Amino acid sequence: MNVFAVGDVHGCYHTLLEVLQHWRPTEELLVQTGDLVDRGRYAPECVELARELEGYYPGRTVFLLGNHEYEMQLHYGPQGPNPNWLRWGGRATVQQYLGRPELLEQHLSWLAGRPLFWENDHLLLSHAGFASTEAPLDLENPNGVLWRRGPLLNVGKRQVIGHTPTDGQLAFDPAANAVCIDTGAYLGQCLAGVRFSATGEVLEEVLVPTHATDLL
């Protein structure tokens, strides 16, 4: 089955809707690299859309955990508040959930169930990628799959990641056989949807310019 991978959304709801027009749910899996929330104008709407798609298309969607969702959960959990998250874009998300406590509770519960990666025999998707580090699935590891910046490990599969914004184009690392699809939607650049074959080949790149209404 082909995979339609979508990069970091960061509250850019209308842009996400346009990218999803290119997804073929009857014949391919949707995998989103995390960071649905923060920095854009419509974080709750993006999370709600993801939840709805998961319900409408069972077994055809995977929404991965990003570092922003992780930090959001810390803010609202027993360790909160989380000043770092508020500085990284969380303050806008808090404002967007004001007066919507039931929605926030539902979304936090759903976000707590997000996986850290998805893989088949040829593809490995995560938020920030697998590098040469101990405990890459440790949520606090600065070189783990939520936080890594820099070169990745060649794991014998094509890695597909978000997390580090590019200049608006896909960024390829041939040595690691990795591709970054965070094309800086919240920066006013574009949101990427990339169609991969089951064997990891790029079949199509969809780069949708960020809708002005999505930007703070």
Side-chain angles (χ1 to χ4, degrees), residues 66-145:
N67 63 308
H68 282 259
E69 285 87 16
Y70 172 64
E71 293 290 328
M72 177 181 175
Q73 291 175 71
L74 292 182
H75 178 79
Y76 287 107
Q79 301 177 55
N82 184 351
N84 286 334
W85 176 66
L86 294 174
R87 288 193 293 269
W88 299 338
R91 188 167 284 107
T93 299
V94 169
Q95 291 294 321
Q96 290 160 22
Y97 276 103
L98 282 179
R100 308 163 86 175
E102 291 184 4
L103 189 66
L104 175 61
E105 183 179 358
Q106 293 169 7
H107 287 185
L108 288 171
S109 177
W110 184 80
L111 291 172
R114 296 309 88 211
L116 289 173
F117 65 93
W118 177 89
E119 66 180 334
N120 66 9
D121 290 340
H122 302 280
L123 284 164
L124 175 59
L125 285 82
S126 66
H127 182 61
F130 286 77
S132 182
T133 183
E134 293 185 8
L137 300 180
D138 179 349
L139 300 178
E140 296 287 346
N141 183 349
N143 286 306
V145 297

Side-chain angles (χ1 to χ4, degrees), residues 1-6 15-32 49-63 192-196 204 206 208:
M1 180 185 296
N2 290 347
V3 172
F4 190 71
V6 176
T15 314
L16 175 59
L17 286 176
E18 185 174 345
V19 169
L20 289 174
Q21 292 177 17
H22 298 266
W23 173 42
R24 303 165 185 164
T26 60
E27 59 189 70
E28 59 192 16
L29 180 71
L30 171 68
V31 183
Q32 195 273 326
L49 176 60
R51 292 176 70 232
E52 290 174 352
L53 291 174
E54 187 178 72
Y56 292 155
Y57 303 104
R60 292 299 175 107
T61 68
V62 178
F63 292 91
V194 186
R195 181 165 290 110
F196 291 92
E204 184 181 6
V206 177
V208 172

Side-chain angles (χ1 to χ4, degrees), residues 142-157:
N143 286 306
V145 297
L146 288 186
W147 300 100
R148 174 67 177 175
R149 305 272 192 197
L152 300 177
L153 181 67
N154 191 320
V155 296
K157 301 181 180 186

